[in-house]
Amino acid sequence: MKFRLLAILRCIARHRLDSLLVDAFPSLGRRFWFRAALALAPQAPLKEARGERLRKTFESLGPIFVKFGQLLSTRRDLLPEDIADALAKLQDSVAAFDSDLAIAEIERGLGRPIQEVYEQFDATPIASASISQVHFARLHGGREVAVKVLRPGMLAIIDADLALMRQLASILLKLSEDARRLRLLDVIDEFDMILHDELDLLREAANANQLRRNFADSALLLMPEMIWSATATNVLTMQRMQGIPISHIDALLKAGIDLKRLSRDGVEIFFTQVFRDGFFHADMHPGNIFVADRGPHKGRYIALDFGIVGSLSEEDKNYLAQNFLAFFRRDYRRVAQLHLQAGWVPQKVRVEALEAAVRSCCEPVFDKPLKEILLGQVLMRLFQVSRRFGVQVQPQLVLLQKTLLNIEGLGRQLDPDLDLWVTAKPFLERWMREQLGWQGLLRRFRQEAELWSQSLPEIPRLAHEALALAAAGSRTPSGIEKALIELNAQLRQTRRWLLACVLLIAILLAGAGLLLSGVIDLDSIEDTTESQTLTRTQQPSTVWRRLC
């Protein structure tokens, strides 16, 4: 652990990032341990631009830092232009490892010589990422494929970095209230699971198949087909896709791609994955997104690299959709109430105070195009508000937050005038109608009906077991007895409601019958003669006979 920390400090000194750190955190330059560590490391002259030095530092430190750099490269509103341009190279321009090592890894994973798997294999990688690289090949029979192979020895590096992150987080938890509120250890555990999943290419292929099924009938998104006969935990062979990287704006324009439509399609794809499927591509930086430039699929998105995906429960989807709609409708009280109901905010917080704070953060961004919205400032203000009210970060939504940043970065590149609110609001409103209306009710009935065939026949046996326990003199009700008691109470309550509804309907029908039949006419009643009096006394029985 100490050696890794020392290696990180030496890397910072070698690439002369000490000046950037001190500029960003002035108090750091006054720390004795920081100055002592830098004194032990070699100091290179400042020959390269700061962005290139930062990029090389991330590359040297390994996959976790590379992925952090990829995320930063999409936030051009937070970074200077030169640093953002340099970090963008991390998306698909990480230094490749030796091709002989790649071939050895393929043969080890598939258990046979590479010539038996591929008719032709290009030893020069076409792209290199933080934990893998990609080669083009051709299967026996002539089918063009892309082969993804893991970098050797990545597991040990990732485990060491995660252990160091946990140690630093444990120290911060003791020193900072913000660290405890942000639940750093839970976030690191989530990141740990994501990275280890990404090291299993069989899991990535399964993720790709799921996304491909979800969008099988879509006119917006294409996914490659997986070649399972040439796939293992460290090797993934997939259909080769033809397209233009989404970051190559000039090439897209030259190919006649409508960028405004492309930006709107990207927003719809994201919300479809999140709210319809609850299963979304969570690594949507520009290096993993292409656009088809030919054939019948021209203008459609092509998604690659499915190592990181996110999933949401029904409760998460409903909560997020209601929050989005409340934001779009500027219903800040509803936003505050949802946070309190979800338990994200302590119950002692007044809903009016949280409502006013959220309004002050979000109201300035409405009715503006994306290019005029300083999302960096908005995020900083929201962070200050969350710190003030003790809002807890939810680890299961960390991937979604990261993907939202990717989507915002892509939208800014394609169409700076994109109005995210106008594009997303109709989709969310339609989704909410489907979830809360008759369609959602019928869908949930169909889902539950599949379980009724199993649970209904068990009721007599459960009732017999409960009665047997009661006859045996069990003092403490069992779980079955409690369930039956609750079930009987619910049945009694249901019967009461049904009886009340029947009586109410009967009363309404009786009143309607009286009015429509015309048997009661107060204007025609006269009190002058005894016979008329007798007629009036007989009218109720006539009414009852007609009603009966």
Side-chain angles (χ1 to χ4, degrees), residues 520-532:
I520 299 177
D521 189 355
L522 295 178
D523 293 335
S524 64
I525 298 177
E526 299 179 357
D527 299 328
T528 57
T529 64
E530 182 178 353
S531 61
Q532 291 172 331

Side-chain angles (χ1 to χ4, degrees), residues 319 323-324 326-340 345 349-366 378 381-386 388-389 391:
Y319 172 79
N323 264 283
F324 273 115
F327 272 117
F328 294 151
R329 295 168 179 170
R330 307 190 191 190
D331 187 355
Y332 305 115
R333 174 171 287 270
R334 180 58 177 161
V335 174
Q337 291 172 341
L338 287 168
H339 277 70
L340 288 168
V345 182
V349 174
R350 293 177 57 248
V351 66
E352 294 82 4
L354 184 57
E355 174 191 0
V358 174
R359 180 185 296 109
S360 66
C361 291
C362 300
E363 192 66 24
V365 307
F366 283 100
V378 175
R381 294 187 65 184
L382 284 173
F383 178 77
Q384 293 170 359
V385 168
S386 65
R388 172 186 167 193
F389 289 97
V391 177

